[in-house]
């Protein structure tokens, strides 16, 4: 009976989740389609001055929709991660200023870095995101100010400690965020990782922060634990498995501003089965001065790769029709073009095809949806 009850509660939660999403998505879609309709009406009337507003509105709604799918994919542990050997101390240091500003003047922020911290294999941007989310939760729990501590440590989990955390015994790096705030009741603690569970007022909490962190950390082979007492404060710890190997220096962020332009003759092959995506990418490339060649599936992409036309970069979707995915096409193309540079653009859930997030040198991933600027900078940087 207990099992049946649990199952019923799970279905209830899934139903709520789906309904909540459909509702949010319809709102965002209405923002986009409505703006497009008004835009085309104003253009027909020759009132070009009004168009910018609708463009901005549509872009804003599309960005929020993208953020929503991103969180959901994180929760479903199907987001495309780009794990890199990472020095968590360096990552925390890079975030310290932002954390201080986010916490506000009433909160004293302290960072405690372990010496000789091990490296971990993790998507650094997602870890930054997780850290920031934990700090925002900590700040929200201290409306009258208090103390926020970010602490890293090496941890060796023995059999008992590992079993308690549902992990394999062995070496881990912990990243903990502690606050001196309200703390959580056992009821809140039990539900804190559920998607859409929030105790914050309407419009303030999404209830997706911790669910997203949980999905990301589990997908990265780690675990999250809450230690909290009502009225005493809270510590949230992420445990990430140790990676043997040195950490890489973080990549320089692509510089903002005008997208960099191509050199004469530089050619990009784009393979995507979605004509709209192909059209967009091609137009961006041509605007930037690259020659673009299009293909709609793996077989025709491979035909181009086997020819002797110049190709400086392959940009391809991972999921392609016709029995050959983007990764397989790229691998086959590299037989005749060793070292061919490849940028995979992918929507979701294609980690397995990409080799579980482990890519060969010269292969990179960009997740859909992406902004035109980011695409242009990535292409330029890779070529
Ligand atoms: P949100 O922040 O949008 O409410 P989260 O998933 O980040 O969603 O957190 C879910 C809930 O867990 C919060 O609403 C809050 O009740 C509780 N919580 C999370 N972090 C803390 C914390 N540091 N102190 C007290 N309660 C917390
Ligand atoms: Mg939160």
């Amino acid at each position: 009976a207990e099992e049946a009850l649990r199952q019923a509660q799970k279905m209830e939660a899934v139903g709520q989740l789906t309904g909540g999403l459909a509702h949010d998505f319809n709102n965002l879609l209405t923002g986009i389609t409505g703006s497009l309709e008004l835009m085309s009406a104003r253009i027909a009337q020759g009132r070009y001055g009004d168009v910018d507003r609708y463009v901005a509105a549509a872009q804003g709604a599309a960005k929020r929709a993208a953020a929503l799918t991103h969180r959901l994919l994180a929760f479903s542990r199907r987001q495309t991660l780009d794990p890199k050997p990472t020095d968590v101390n360096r990552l925390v240091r890079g975030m310290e200023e932002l954390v201080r500003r986010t916490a506000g003047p009433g909160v004293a922020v302290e960072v405690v870095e372990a010496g000789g911290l091990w490296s971990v294999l993790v998507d650094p941007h997602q870890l930054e995101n997780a850290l920031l989310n934990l700090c925002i939760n900590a700040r929200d729990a201290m409306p009258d100010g208090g103390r926020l501590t970010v602490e890293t440590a090496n941890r060796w989990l023995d059999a008992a400690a590992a079993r308690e955390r549902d992990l394999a015994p062995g070496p881990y790096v912990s990243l903990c965020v502690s606050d001196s705030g309200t703390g959580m009741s056992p009821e809140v603690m039990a539900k804190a990782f559920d998607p859409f569970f929030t105790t914050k007022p309407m419009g303030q909490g999404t209830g997706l922060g911790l669910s997203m962190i949980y999905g990301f950390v589990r997908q990265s082979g780690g675990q999250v634990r809450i230690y909290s007492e009502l009225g005493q404060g809270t510590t949230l710890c992420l445990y990430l498995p140790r990676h043997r190997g040195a950490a890489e220096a973080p990549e320089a962020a692509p510089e903002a501003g005008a997208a960099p332009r191509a050199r004469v003759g530089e050619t990009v092959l784009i393979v995507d089965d979605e004509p709209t995506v192909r059209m967009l990418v091609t137009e961006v490339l041509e605007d930037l001065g690259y020659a673009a060649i299009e293909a709609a599936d793996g077989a025709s992409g491979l035909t181009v790769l086997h020819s002797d036309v110049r190709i400086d970069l392959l940009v391809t979707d991972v999921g392609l029709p016709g029995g050959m995915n983007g990764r397989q096409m790229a691998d086959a193309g590299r037989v005749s073009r060793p070292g061919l540079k490849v940028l995979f653009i992918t929507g979701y859930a294609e980690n397995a095809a990409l080799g579980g997030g482990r890519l060969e040198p010269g292969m990179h991933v960009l997740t859909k949806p992406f902004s035109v600027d980011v695409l242009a900078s990535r292409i330029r940087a890779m070529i």
Side-chain angles (χ1 to χ4, degrees):
E2 257 173 38
E3 186 50 38
L5 178 64
R6 245 197 308 279
Q7 194 59 29
Q9 282 170 341
K10 213 151 80 189
M11 289 318 291
E12 165 82 22
V14 170
Q16 272 178 14
L17 178 68
T18 323
L21 270 178
H23 173 261
D24 283 1
F25 245 98
N26 280 333
N27 281 341
L28 294 165
L29 284 174
T30 309
I32 296 169
T33 53
S35 301
L36 287 171
E37 274 174 48
L38 286 169
M39 233 187 287
S40 81
R42 293 296 177 266
I43 290 171
Q45 296 161 349
R47 291 165 60 184
Y48 301 109
D50 295 344
V51 169
D52 278 357
R53 257 193 13 247
Y54 302 124
V55 171
Q59 279 175 335
K63 270 201 195 114
R64 272 176 284 137
L68 190 60
T69 53
H70 183 112
R71 289 189 184 131
L72 282 170
L73 290 171
F75 171 66
S76 72
R77 301 182 211 170
R78 298 270 173 87
Q79 66 181 329
T80 307
L81 293 177
D82 192 4
K84 299 209 166 74
T86 300
D87 175 349
V88 178
N89 278 342
R90 181 156 60 194
L91 182 139
V92 170
R93 233 172 286 140
M95 295 286 291
E96 200 174 333
E97 187 48 39
L98 184 59
V99 168
R100 274 183 212 288
R101 262 189 288 134
T102 308
V107 173
V109 175
E110 192 188 1
V111 174
V112 184
E113 288 178 16
L117 191 68
W118 295 323
S119 167
V120 295
L121 189 64
V122 72
D123 185 318
H125 296 299
Q126 292 310 315
L127 187 58
E128 285 177 354
N129 204 1
L131 174 61
L132 191 60
N133 264 293
L134 292 179
C135 293
I136 291 172
N137 280 347
R139 175 202 66 190
D140 290 348
M142 301 184 288
D144 305 319
R147 224 172 37 253
L148 189 164
T149 310
V150 181
E151 185 169 5
T152 60
N154 290 336
R155 308 260 187 141
W156 196 281
L157 299 187
D158 62 17
R163 202 173 327 109
E164 189 271 318
R165 291 172 179 82
D166 193 17
L167 290 171
Y172 291 83
V173 167
S174 67
L175 172 62
C176 300
V177 174
S178 305
D179 64 66
S180 57
T182 55
M184 294 186 219
S185 66
E187 295 74 40
V188 169
M189 225 189 298
K191 287 193 168 157
F193 291 118
D194 290 358
F196 295 113
F197 174 79
T198 180
T199 56
K200 294 170 193 176
M202 261 299 254
Q204 253 190 52
T206 59
L208 288 170
L210 287 181
S211 72
M212 180 171 149
I213 291 170
Y214 183 80
F216 156 64
V217 173
R218 292 302 275 168
Q219 196 182 336
S220 306
Q223 184 60 283
V224 192
R225 278 289 180 265
I226 303 178
Y227 309 93
S228 184
E229 230 174 287
L230 212 50
Q232 299 298 311
T234 301
T235 296
L236 258 134
C237 285
L238 315 186
Y239 299 89
L240 296 164
R242 174 182 187 183
H243 170 67
R244 294 186 191 266
E248 290 170 8
E251 277 172 42
E255 59 209 76
R261 290 196 56 87
R263 289 195 202 96
V264 176
E266 284 175 341
T267 306
V268 180
L269 170 63
I270 303 124
V271 188
D272 199 311
D273 55 319
E274 176 57 48
T276 337
V277 174
R278 234 166 39 228
M279 179 193 82
L280 279 172
V281 176
T282 305
E283 297 216 347
V284 170
L285 287 167
E286 291 180 346
D287 275 358
L288 290 169
Y290 294 97
I293 303 173
E294 291 183 43
D297 57 47
S300 39
L302 195 56
T303 307
V304 179
L305 289 173
H306 281 159
S307 76
D308 56 6
V309 304
R310 171 173 180 175
I311 294 168
D312 297 276
L313 174 69
L314 166 65
V315 178
T316 180
D317 194 4
V318 177
L320 288 172
M324 188 191 297
N325 71 34
R327 176 69 199 259
Q328 292 163 333
M329 177 189 62
D331 287 343
R334 275 188 164 193
V335 174
S336 54
R337 296 175 184 258
L340 172 72
K341 291 171 190 156
V342 186
L343 179 61
F344 294 106
I345 48 176
T346 173
Y348 74 111
E350 289 163 333
N351 280 302
L354 280 173
R358 304 273 202 135
L359 287 173
E360 280 168 42
M363 293 185 170
H364 293 267
V365 191
L366 182 64
T367 35
K368 294 176 192 168
F370 45 78
S371 81
V372 167
D373 274 3
V374 169
L375 175 69
S377 303
R378 284 296 280 276
I379 289 173
R380 182 70 258 175
M382 283 187 71
I383 291 181

